[in-house]
Amino acid sequence: SPATSNWGAHLPALIVNPEARLEDLLSWCAVEAAELDRLANMIAGAQADANDVAARFQHRLAPLAQVLDYATDIAAKARNLQGRQHG
C-alpha cells in the first residue's frame, strides 16, 4: 500500500530529542499507549481490517518501546547522580 511503501527505509521512524525532559518523554509514551488501547478496542469490535490494525500496532509499538527504554536510562542516570551528590 502507499502508506507502507517507504517502510524498510534506512531512516529511523522516530528520533528522540536528547534534550527532552523525562516528563515529556513519558507523556508521549502515554499518548501512544492510549492509541494502542484504542486500536485494541477496534479489533475487539471488529471495526477494522486485521492487517491494517496490525500495521498500526507495529508502527507505534517499536518507537514506544524505544522511548520507554530511553526514558528509563534518563531516570537511572538521574538517580545515580542524585545518589552520588547525597552519598
Side-chain angles (χ1 to χ4, degrees):
S1 81
T4 59
S5 63
N6 64 346
W7 289 14
H10 296 291
L11 299 174
L14 176 74
I15 299 172
V16 177
N17 177 357
E19 301 299 319
R21 296 178 313 153
L22 180 58
E23 295 86 358
D24 295 331
L25 294 171
L26 294 175
S27 177
W28 179 87
C29 290
V31 169
E32 289 300 302
E35 178 62 14
L36 290 171
D37 181 59
R38 188 181 72 77
L39 290 170
N41 286 326
M42 287 173 63
I43 293 170
Q47 298 173 7
D49 174 74
N51 289 332
D52 179 50
V53 173
R56 289 181 187 204
F57 258 88
Q58 185 178 30
H59 177 74
R60 288 183 167 356
L61 202 51
L64 175 58
Q66 290 170 350
V67 173
L68 283 170
D69 186 51
Y70 185 74
T72 301
D73 286 346
I74 289 173
K77 288 176 185 174
R79 186 181 45 222
N80 288 339
L81 180 61
Q82 223 175 21
R84 284 189 220 135
Q85 290 175 346
H86 297 289

